[in-house]
mmCIF file of all heavy atoms in Angstrom:
data_model
loop_
_atom_site.group_PDB
_atom_site.id
_atom_site.type_symbol
_atom_site.label_atom_id
_atom_site.label_comp_id
_atom_site.label_asym_id
_atom_site.label_seq_id
_atom_site.Cartn_x
_atom_site.Cartn_y
_atom_site.Cartn_z
ATOM 1 N N ALA A 62 20.532 -22.112 -10.354
ATOM 2 C CA ALA A 62 20.409 -21.197 -11.489
ATOM 3 C C ALA A 62 19.674 -19.916 -11.093
ATOM 4 O O ALA A 62 19.826 -18.885 -11.742
ATOM 5 C CB ALA A 62 19.676 -21.883 -12.640
ATOM 6 N N TYR A 63 18.899 -19.983 -10.029
ATOM 7 C CA TYR A 63 18.128 -18.824 -9.590
ATOM 8 C C TYR A 63 18.678 -18.193 -8.317
ATOM 9 O O TYR A 63 18.027 -17.337 -7.724
ATOM 10 C CB TYR A 63 16.663 -19.228 -9.389
ATOM 11 C CG TYR A 63 16.020 -19.711 -10.655
ATOM 12 C CD1 TYR A 63 15.750 -21.048 -10.856
ATOM 13 C CD2 TYR A 63 15.718 -18.815 -11.670
ATOM 14 C CE1 TYR A 63 15.164 -21.490 -12.041
ATOM 15 C CE2 TYR A 63 15.141 -19.249 -12.851
ATOM 16 C CZ TYR A 63 14.868 -20.588 -13.024
ATOM 17 O OH TYR A 63 14.292 -21.015 -14.189
ATOM 18 N N ASP A 64 19.879 -18.600 -7.883
ATOM 19 C CA ASP A 64 20.444 -18.056 -6.650
ATOM 20 C C ASP A 64 20.570 -16.539 -6.687
ATOM 21 O O ASP A 64 20.216 -15.855 -5.728
ATOM 22 C CB ASP A 64 21.814 -18.682 -6.346
ATOM 23 C CG ASP A 64 21.695 -20.103 -5.806
ATOM 24 O OD1 ASP A 64 20.571 -20.510 -5.441
ATOM 25 O OD2 ASP A 64 22.731 -20.791 -5.749
ATOM 26 N N GLN A 65 21.081 -15.991 -7.789
ATOM 27 C CA GLN A 65 21.304 -14.549 -7.857
ATOM 28 C C GLN A 65 19.992 -13.769 -7.845
ATOM 29 O O GLN A 65 19.841 -12.793 -7.113
ATOM 30 C CB GLN A 65 22.117 -14.172 -9.094
ATOM 31 C CG GLN A 65 22.468 -12.698 -9.166
ATOM 32 C CD GLN A 65 23.279 -12.219 -7.975
ATOM 33 O OE1 GLN A 65 24.292 -12.809 -7.637
ATOM 34 N NE2 GLN A 65 22.828 -11.156 -7.315
ATOM 35 N N VAL A 66 19.027 -14.166 -8.656
ATOM 36 C CA VAL A 66 17.756 -13.435 -8.691
ATOM 37 C C VAL A 66 17.023 -13.569 -7.358
ATOM 38 O O VAL A 66 16.438 -12.608 -6.869
ATOM 39 C CB VAL A 66 16.879 -13.864 -9.891
ATOM 40 C CG1 VAL A 66 16.314 -15.255 -9.726
ATOM 41 C CG2 VAL A 66 15.751 -12.864 -10.113
ATOM 42 N N ASN A 67 17.077 -14.735 -6.715
ATOM 43 C CA ASN A 67 16.441 -14.906 -5.411
ATOM 44 C C ASN A 67 17.149 -14.076 -4.337
ATOM 45 O O ASN A 67 16.507 -13.518 -3.452
ATOM 46 C CB ASN A 67 16.398 -16.376 -5.020
ATOM 47 C CG ASN A 67 15.386 -17.148 -5.841
ATOM 48 O OD1 ASN A 67 14.419 -16.594 -6.337
ATOM 49 N ND2 ASN A 67 15.625 -18.440 -6.010
ATOM 50 N N SER A 68 18.476 -13.979 -4.432
ATOM 51 C CA SER A 68 19.228 -13.132 -3.515
ATOM 52 C C SER A 68 18.854 -11.662 -3.707
ATOM 53 O O SER A 68 18.692 -10.921 -2.733
ATOM 54 C CB SER A 68 20.725 -13.330 -3.734
ATOM 55 O OG SER A 68 21.466 -12.455 -2.926
ATOM 56 N N ASP A 69 18.713 -11.230 -4.960
ATOM 57 C CA ASP A 69 18.304 -9.848 -5.244
ATOM 58 C C ASP A 69 16.917 -9.559 -4.676
ATOM 59 O O ASP A 69 16.684 -8.485 -4.119
ATOM 60 C CB ASP A 69 18.313 -9.573 -6.746
ATOM 61 C CG ASP A 69 19.712 -9.502 -7.317
ATOM 62 O OD1 ASP A 69 20.688 -9.385 -6.542
ATOM 63 O OD2 ASP A 69 19.838 -9.575 -8.561
ATOM 64 N N ILE A 70 16.004 -10.499 -4.801
ATOM 65 C CA ILE A 70 14.649 -10.319 -4.253
ATOM 66 C C ILE A 70 14.722 -10.133 -2.743
ATOM 67 O O ILE A 70 14.128 -9.211 -2.188
ATOM 68 C CB ILE A 70 13.744 -11.510 -4.630
ATOM 69 C CG1 ILE A 70 13.420 -11.488 -6.118
ATOM 70 C CG2 ILE A 70 12.464 -11.505 -3.794
ATOM 71 C CD1 ILE A 70 12.735 -12.738 -6.628
ATOM 72 N N ARG A 71 15.489 -11.000 -2.057
ATOM 73 C CA ARG A 71 15.607 -10.900 -0.593
ATOM 74 C C ARG A 71 16.270 -9.591 -0.169
ATOM 75 O O ARG A 71 15.885 -8.977 0.817
ATOM 76 C CB ARG A 71 16.408 -12.075 -0.047
ATOM 77 C CG ARG A 71 15.627 -13.344 0.118
ATOM 78 C CD ARG A 71 16.421 -14.391 0.880
ATOM 79 N NE ARG A 71 17.754 -14.617 0.349
ATOM 80 C CZ ARG A 71 18.052 -15.440 -0.658
ATOM 81 N NH1 ARG A 71 17.085 -16.122 -1.242
ATOM 82 N NH2 ARG A 71 19.291 -15.587 -1.077
ATOM 83 N N ASP A 72 17.293 -9.151 -0.932
ATOM 84 C CA ASP A 72 18.049 -7.951 -0.559
ATOM 85 C C ASP A 72 17.327 -6.649 -0.898
ATOM 86 O O ASP A 72 17.532 -5.639 -0.226
ATOM 87 C CB ASP A 72 19.413 -7.946 -1.251
ATOM 88 C CG ASP A 72 20.322 -9.068 -0.753
ATOM 89 O OD1 ASP A 72 20.023 -9.653 0.305
ATOM 90 O OD2 ASP A 72 21.322 -9.352 -1.439
ATOM 91 N N LEU A 73 16.532 -6.641 -1.953
ATOM 92 C CA LEU A 73 15.947 -5.387 -2.440
ATOM 93 C C LEU A 73 14.485 -5.173 -2.057
ATOM 94 O O LEU A 73 14.025 -4.035 -2.018
ATOM 95 C CB LEU A 73 16.075 -5.313 -3.960
ATOM 96 C CG LEU A 73 17.504 -5.330 -4.507
ATOM 97 C CD1 LEU A 73 17.493 -5.395 -6.021
ATOM 98 C CD2 LEU A 73 18.282 -4.138 -4.014
ATOM 99 N N LEU A 74 13.742 -6.251 -1.821
ATOM 100 C CA LEU A 74 12.304 -6.107 -1.580
ATOM 101 C C LEU A 74 11.949 -6.445 -0.138
ATOM 102 O O LEU A 74 12.596 -7.272 0.498
ATOM 103 C CB LEU A 74 11.518 -7.008 -2.528
ATOM 104 C CG LEU A 74 11.709 -6.744 -4.020
ATOM 105 C CD1 LEU A 74 10.916 -7.734 -4.837
ATOM 106 C CD2 LEU A 74 11.328 -5.324 -4.368
ATOM 107 N N CYS A 75 10.908 -5.802 0.352
ATOM 108 C CA CYS A 75 10.389 -6.094 1.684
ATOM 109 C C CYS A 75 8.861 -5.988 1.626
ATOM 110 O O CYS A 75 8.294 -5.783 0.565
ATOM 111 C CB CYS A 75 10.976 -5.136 2.717
ATOM 112 S SG CYS A 75 10.583 -3.408 2.439
ATOM 113 N N ALA A 76 8.239 -6.099 2.755
ATOM 114 C CA ALA A 76 6.777 -6.045 2.794
ATOM 115 C C ALA A 76 6.286 -4.660 2.369
ATOM 116 O O ALA A 76 6.894 -3.641 2.658
ATOM 117 C CB ALA A 76 6.277 -6.370 4.190
ATOM 118 N N ARG A 77 5.175 -4.658 1.662
ATOM 119 C CA ARG A 77 4.534 -3.417 1.230
ATOM 120 C C ARG A 77 3.226 -3.285 2.002
ATOM 121 O O ARG A 77 2.427 -4.221 2.049
ATOM 122 C CB ARG A 77 4.268 -3.483 -0.271
ATOM 123 C CG ARG A 77 3.718 -2.206 -0.814
ATOM 124 C CD ARG A 77 3.700 -2.213 -2.306
ATOM 125 N NE ARG A 77 3.506 -0.846 -2.740
ATOM 126 C CZ ARG A 77 3.567 -0.455 -3.980
ATOM 127 N NH1 ARG A 77 3.834 -1.315 -4.919
ATOM 128 N NH2 ARG A 77 3.370 0.802 -4.288
ATOM 129 N N HIS A 78 3.014 -2.117 2.587
ATOM 130 C CA HIS A 78 1.849 -1.887 3.436
ATOM 131 C C HIS A 78 0.929 -0.848 2.810
ATOM 132 O O HIS A 78 1.402 0.114 2.208
ATOM 133 C CB HIS A 78 2.286 -1.380 4.810
ATOM 134 C CG HIS A 78 3.273 -2.268 5.482
ATOM 135 N ND1 HIS A 78 2.901 -3.352 6.236
ATOM 136 C CD2 HIS A 78 4.627 -2.253 5.491
ATOM 137 C CE1 HIS A 78 3.977 -3.958 6.695
ATOM 138 N NE2 HIS A 78 5.038 -3.315 6.256
ATOM 139 N N MET A 79 -0.366 -1.061 2.962
ATOM 140 C CA MET A 79 -1.352 -0.077 2.512
ATOM 141 C C MET A 79 -2.411 0.057 3.599
ATOM 142 O O MET A 79 -2.902 -0.939 4.128
ATOM 143 C CB MET A 79 -2.018 -0.500 1.209
ATOM 144 C CG MET A 79 -3.025 0.536 0.712
ATOM 145 S SD MET A 79 -3.920 0.058 -0.776
ATOM 146 C CE MET A 79 -2.637 0.199 -1.995
ATOM 147 N N LEU A 80 -2.721 1.308 3.922
ATOM 148 C CA LEU A 80 -3.770 1.601 4.883
ATOM 149 C C LEU A 80 -4.765 2.540 4.220
ATOM 150 O O LEU A 80 -4.369 3.551 3.633
ATOM 151 C CB LEU A 80 -3.185 2.270 6.133
ATOM 152 C CG LEU A 80 -4.201 2.738 7.174
ATOM 153 C CD1 LEU A 80 -4.914 1.549 7.803
ATOM 154 C CD2 LEU A 80 -3.508 3.578 8.240
ATOM 155 N N ARG A 81 -6.040 2.191 4.282
ATOM 156 C CA ARG A 81 -7.105 3.022 3.722
ATOM 157 C C ARG A 81 -8.138 3.283 4.820
ATOM 158 O O ARG A 81 -8.586 2.345 5.480
ATOM 159 C CB ARG A 81 -7.776 2.305 2.546
ATOM 160 C CG ARG A 81 -6.888 2.111 1.354
ATOM 161 C CD ARG A 81 -7.593 1.338 0.243
ATOM 162 N NE ARG A 81 -7.945 -0.013 0.611
ATOM 163 C CZ ARG A 81 -7.149 -1.066 0.421
ATOM 164 N NH1 ARG A 81 -5.966 -0.924 -0.125
ATOM 165 N NH2 ARG A 81 -7.556 -2.276 0.761
ATOM 166 N N VAL A 82 -8.505 4.557 4.973
ATOM 167 C CA VAL A 82 -9.512 4.955 5.956
ATOM 168 C C VAL A 82 -10.514 5.851 5.239
ATOM 169 O O VAL A 82 -10.112 6.732 4.470
ATOM 170 C CB VAL A 82 -8.869 5.717 7.140
ATOM 171 C CG1 VAL A 82 -9.929 6.139 8.140
ATOM 172 C CG2 VAL A 82 -7.807 4.874 7.806
ATOM 173 N N GLY A 83 -11.785 5.621 5.466
ATOM 174 C CA GLY A 83 -12.795 6.435 4.796
ATOM 175 C C GLY A 83 -14.025 6.639 5.658
ATOM 176 O O GLY A 83 -14.290 5.882 6.588
ATOM 177 N N ALA A 84 -14.764 7.689 5.311
ATOM 178 C CA ALA A 84 -16.002 7.992 6.032
ATOM 179 C C ALA A 84 -17.006 8.607 5.067
ATOM 180 O O ALA A 84 -16.635 9.261 4.094
ATOM 181 C CB ALA A 84 -15.729 8.951 7.188
ATOM 182 N N GLU A 85 -18.271 8.367 5.345
ATOM 183 C CA GLU A 85 -19.362 8.975 4.581
ATOM 184 C C GLU A 85 -20.415 9.438 5.573
ATOM 185 O O GLU A 85 -20.793 8.693 6.473
ATOM 186 C CB GLU A 85 -19.966 7.984 3.596
ATOM 187 C CG GLU A 85 -21.130 8.558 2.823
ATOM 188 C CD GLU A 85 -21.731 7.568 1.835
ATOM 189 O OE1 GLU A 85 -21.087 7.292 0.819
ATOM 190 O OE2 GLU A 85 -22.851 7.087 2.107
ATOM 191 N N VAL A 86 -20.884 10.658 5.372
ATOM 192 C CA VAL A 86 -21.925 11.232 6.226
ATOM 193 C C VAL A 86 -23.081 11.629 5.322
ATOM 194 O O VAL A 86 -22.874 12.188 4.243
ATOM 195 C CB VAL A 86 -21.392 12.470 7.001
ATOM 196 C CG1 VAL A 86 -22.500 13.112 7.813
ATOM 197 C CG2 VAL A 86 -20.230 12.078 7.877
ATOM 198 N N LYS A 87 -24.309 11.345 5.768
ATOM 199 C CA LYS A 87 -25.513 11.727 5.016
ATOM 200 C C LYS A 87 -26.330 12.690 5.874
ATOM 201 O O LYS A 87 -27.184 12.261 6.645
ATOM 202 C CB LYS A 87 -26.318 10.489 4.657
ATOM 203 C CG LYS A 87 -25.584 9.580 3.667
ATOM 204 C CD LYS A 87 -26.461 8.466 3.204
ATOM 205 C CE LYS A 87 -27.214 8.980 2.012
ATOM 206 N NZ LYS A 87 -27.930 7.992 1.270
ATOM 207 N N PRO A 88 -26.067 13.999 5.734
ATOM 208 C CA PRO A 88 -26.828 14.960 6.547
ATOM 209 C C PRO A 88 -28.315 14.970 6.198
ATOM 210 O O PRO A 88 -29.148 15.241 7.057
ATOM 211 C CB PRO A 88 -26.172 16.306 6.238
ATOM 212 C CG PRO A 88 -25.437 16.109 4.960
ATOM 213 C CD PRO A 88 -25.111 14.653 4.863
ATOM 214 N N ILE A 89 -28.633 14.698 4.925
ATOM 215 C CA ILE A 89 -30.011 14.496 4.480
ATOM 216 C C ILE A 89 -30.001 13.255 3.613
ATOM 217 O O ILE A 89 -28.956 12.891 3.055
ATOM 218 C CB ILE A 89 -30.572 15.733 3.720
ATOM 219 C CG1 ILE A 89 -29.717 16.052 2.489
ATOM 220 C CG2 ILE A 89 -30.664 16.944 4.640
ATOM 221 C CD1 ILE A 89 -30.270 17.153 1.607
ATOM 222 N N PRO A 90 -31.117 12.554 3.463
ATOM 223 C CA PRO A 90 -31.115 11.287 2.739
ATOM 224 C C PRO A 90 -30.600 11.366 1.300
ATOM 225 O O PRO A 90 -30.021 10.413 0.795
ATOM 226 C CB PRO A 90 -32.582 10.849 2.770
ATOM 227 C CG PRO A 90 -33.140 11.490 3.989
ATOM 228 C CD PRO A 90 -32.417 12.811 4.105
ATOM 229 N N ALA A 91 -30.758 12.500 0.640
ATOM 230 C CA ALA A 91 -30.365 12.597 -0.768
ATOM 231 C C ALA A 91 -28.903 12.994 -0.969
ATOM 232 O O ALA A 91 -28.384 12.906 -2.076
ATOM 233 C CB ALA A 91 -31.256 13.604 -1.488
ATOM 234 N N LEU A 92 -28.189 13.409 0.088
ATOM 235 C CA LEU A 92 -26.832 13.933 -0.056
ATOM 236 C C LEU A 92 -25.846 13.120 0.782
ATOM 237 O O LEU A 92 -26.088 12.851 1.947
ATOM 238 C CB LEU A 92 -26.787 15.399 0.397
ATOM 239 C CG LEU A 92 -25.431 16.096 0.300
ATOM 240 C CD1 LEU A 92 -25.021 16.252 -1.167
ATOM 241 C CD2 LEU A 92 -25.484 17.446 0.992
ATOM 242 N N ALA A 93 -24.735 12.744 0.152
ATOM 243 C CA ALA A 93 -23.659 12.026 0.847
ATOM 244 C C ALA A 93 -22.373 12.830 0.718
ATOM 245 O O ALA A 93 -22.018 13.281 -0.374
ATOM 246 C CB ALA A 93 -23.477 10.636 0.257
ATOM 247 N N ILE A 94 -21.673 12.996 1.830
ATOM 248 C CA ILE A 94 -20.377 13.677 1.858
ATOM 249 C C ILE A 94 -19.340 12.625 2.242
ATOM 250 O O ILE A 94 -19.498 11.936 3.254
ATOM 251 C CB ILE A 94 -20.379 14.832 2.879
ATOM 252 C CG1 ILE A 94 -21.478 15.832 2.538
ATOM 253 C CG2 ILE A 94 -19.008 15.516 2.911
ATOM 254 C CD1 ILE A 94 -21.734 16.844 3.635
ATOM 255 N N ARG A 95 -18.286 12.502 1.419
ATOM 256 C CA ARG A 95 -17.299 11.437 1.615
ATOM 257 C C ARG A 95 -15.895 12.016 1.767
ATOM 258 O O ARG A 95 -15.564 13.029 1.163
ATOM 259 C CB ARG A 95 -17.303 10.493 0.424
ATOM 260 C CG ARG A 95 -18.629 9.848 0.175
ATOM 261 C CD ARG A 95 -18.578 8.950 -1.057
ATOM 262 N NE ARG A 95 -19.911 8.502 -1.387
ATOM 263 C CZ ARG A 95 -20.669 9.018 -2.347
ATOM 264 N NH1 ARG A 95 -20.198 9.974 -3.100
ATOM 265 N NH2 ARG A 95 -21.868 8.559 -2.560
ATOM 266 N N ALA A 96 -15.052 11.315 2.543
ATOM 267 C CA ALA A 96 -13.643 11.675 2.676
ATOM 268 C C ALA A 96 -12.852 10.401 2.899
ATOM 269 O O ALA A 96 -13.358 9.422 3.467
ATOM 270 C CB ALA A 96 -13.431 12.639 3.843
ATOM 271 N N GLY A 97 -11.606 10.403 2.440
ATOM 272 C CA GLY A 97 -10.773 9.226 2.607
ATOM 273 C C GLY A 97 -9.300 9.567 2.657
ATOM 274 O O GLY A 97 -8.873 10.645 2.236
ATOM 275 N N TYR A 98 -8.529 8.646 3.203
ATOM 276 C CA TYR A 98 -7.076 8.769 3.288
ATOM 277 C C TYR A 98 -6.469 7.432 2.909
ATOM 278 O O TYR A 98 -7.018 6.381 3.247
ATOM 279 C CB TYR A 98 -6.643 9.159 4.707
ATOM 280 C CG TYR A 98 -5.148 9.111 4.898
ATOM 281 C CD1 TYR A 98 -4.339 10.121 4.394
ATOM 282 C CD2 TYR A 98 -4.551 8.049 5.555
ATOM 283 C CE1 TYR A 98 -2.967 10.076 4.547
ATOM 284 C CE2 TYR A 98 -3.184 7.996 5.714
ATOM 285 C CZ TYR A 98 -2.388 9.006 5.212
ATOM 286 O OH TYR A 98 -1.034 8.944 5.354
ATOM 287 N N ASN A 99 -5.335 7.466 2.203
ATOM 288 C CA ASN A 99 -4.656 6.249 1.760
ATOM 289 C C ASN A 99 -3.157 6.410 1.978
ATOM 290 O O ASN A 99 -2.583 7.449 1.635
ATOM 291 C CB ASN A 99 -4.954 6.022 0.273
ATOM 292 C CG ASN A 99 -4.375 4.733 -0.241
ATOM 293 O OD1 ASN A 99 -4.348 3.739 0.462
ATOM 294 N ND2 ASN A 99 -3.914 4.749 -1.470
ATOM 295 N N PHE A 100 -2.513 5.402 2.548
ATOM 296 C CA PHE A 100 -1.066 5.363 2.735
ATOM 297 C C PHE A 100 -0.534 4.119 2.036
ATOM 298 O O PHE A 100 -1.111 3.046 2.176
ATOM 299 C CB PHE A 100 -0.714 5.299 4.229
ATOM 300 C CG PHE A 100 0.723 4.942 4.488
ATOM 301 C CD1 PHE A 100 1.709 5.901 4.417
ATOM 302 C CD2 PHE A 100 1.074 3.636 4.782
ATOM 303 C CE1 PHE A 100 3.028 5.577 4.644
ATOM 304 C CE2 PHE A 100 2.391 3.295 5.005
ATOM 305 C CZ PHE A 100 3.379 4.270 4.944
ATOM 306 N N LEU A 101 0.558 4.263 1.289
ATOM 307 C CA LEU A 101 1.171 3.138 0.587
ATOM 308 C C LEU A 101 2.675 3.203 0.746
ATOM 309 O O LEU A 101 3.302 4.186 0.353
ATOM 310 C CB LEU A 101 0.801 3.176 -0.905
ATOM 311 C CG LEU A 101 1.405 2.099 -1.801
ATOM 312 C CD1 LEU A 101 0.934 0.714 -1.369
ATOM 313 C CD2 LEU A 101 1.048 2.357 -3.246
ATOM 314 N N SER A 102 3.266 2.164 1.353
ATOM 315 C CA SER A 102 4.721 2.125 1.493
ATOM 316 C C SER A 102 5.346 1.595 0.205
ATOM 317 O O SER A 102 4.676 0.990 -0.623
ATOM 318 C CB SER A 102 5.131 1.264 2.691
ATOM 319 O OG SER A 102 4.845 -0.096 2.449
ATOM 320 N N SER A 103 6.647 1.775 0.057
ATOM 321 C CA SER A 103 7.304 1.481 -1.219
ATOM 322 C C SER A 103 7.497 -0.005 -1.482
ATOM 323 O O SER A 103 7.456 -0.433 -2.620
ATOM 324 C CB SER A 103 8.658 2.186 -1.293
ATOM 325 O OG SER A 103 9.591 1.533 -0.447
ATOM 326 N N GLY A 104 7.792 -0.802 -0.486
ATOM 327 C CA GLY A 104 8.080 -2.215 -0.709
ATOM 328 C C GLY A 104 9.522 -2.481 -1.115
ATOM 329 O O GLY A 104 9.889 -3.615 -1.401
ATOM 330 N N ARG A 105 10.349 -1.428 -1.146
ATOM 331 C CA ARG A 105 11.772 -1.595 -1.460
ATOM 332 C C ARG A 105 12.572 -1.397 -0.178
ATOM 333 O O ARG A 105 12.394 -0.411 0.518
ATOM 334 C CB ARG A 105 12.220 -0.603 -2.533
ATOM 335 C CG ARG A 105 11.548 -0.876 -3.864
ATOM 336 C CD ARG A 105 12.016 0.085 -4.920
ATOM 337 N NE ARG A 105 11.461 1.407 -4.615
ATOM 338 C CZ ARG A 105 11.877 2.529 -5.152
ATOM 339 N NH1 ARG A 105 12.850 2.534 -6.020
ATOM 340 N NH2 ARG A 105 11.316 3.678 -4.819
ATOM 341 N N ARG A 106 13.447 -2.326 0.102
ATOM 342 C CA ARG A 106 14.240 -2.283 1.322
ATOM 343 C C ARG A 106 15.160 -1.058 1.326
ATOM 344 O O ARG A 106 15.833 -0.770 0.349
ATOM 345 C CB ARG A 106 15.069 -3.565 1.428
ATOM 346 C CG ARG A 106 15.659 -3.817 2.776
ATOM 347 C CD ARG A 106 16.328 -5.175 2.849
ATOM 348 N NE ARG A 106 15.461 -6.290 2.564
ATOM 349 C CZ ARG A 106 14.568 -6.808 3.406
ATOM 350 N NH1 ARG A 106 14.416 -6.273 4.592
ATOM 351 N NH2 ARG A 106 13.824 -7.843 3.072
ATOM 352 N N GLY A 107 15.173 -0.311 2.433
ATOM 353 C CA GLY A 107 16.043 0.839 2.584
ATOM 354 C C GLY A 107 15.588 2.081 1.847
ATOM 355 O O GLY A 107 16.284 3.082 1.832
ATOM 356 N N VAL A 108 14.427 2.041 1.219
ATOM 357 C CA VAL A 108 13.917 3.204 0.481
ATOM 358 C C VAL A 108 12.673 3.705 1.196
ATOM 359 O O VAL A 108 11.702 2.978 1.345
ATOM 360 C CB VAL A 108 13.580 2.829 -0.984
ATOM 361 C CG1 VAL A 108 12.951 4.007 -1.700
ATOM 362 C CG2 VAL A 108 14.825 2.344 -1.705
#
């Protein structure tokens, strides 16, 4: 009964990846400067 929906899942979806990188610098004890980058893949096969 679930063959079609399971086939659609296998055909349309794939692994989704996320990468997060960040840094914080404190030039003086009271001040913090922050920066970050984030990558997120779609998780849809062929897209």
Side-chain angles (χ1 to χ4, degrees):
Y63 298 106
D64 284 347
Q65 184 59 52
V66 71
N67 288 334
S68 176
D69 289 345
I70 289 170
R71 279 190 309 275
D72 293 345
L73 299 174
L74 300 178
C75 62
R77 185 170 195 173
H78 305 274
M79 181 183 288
L80 175 66
R81 294 177 296 270
V82 179
E85 178 180 288
V86 176
K87 294 187 88 169
I89 59 174
L92 180 67
I94 302 168
R95 301 178 188 101
Y98 172 77
N99 184 36
F100 167 81
L101 178 63
S102 69
S103 73
R105 294 181 289 165
R106 195 173 301 282
V108 175

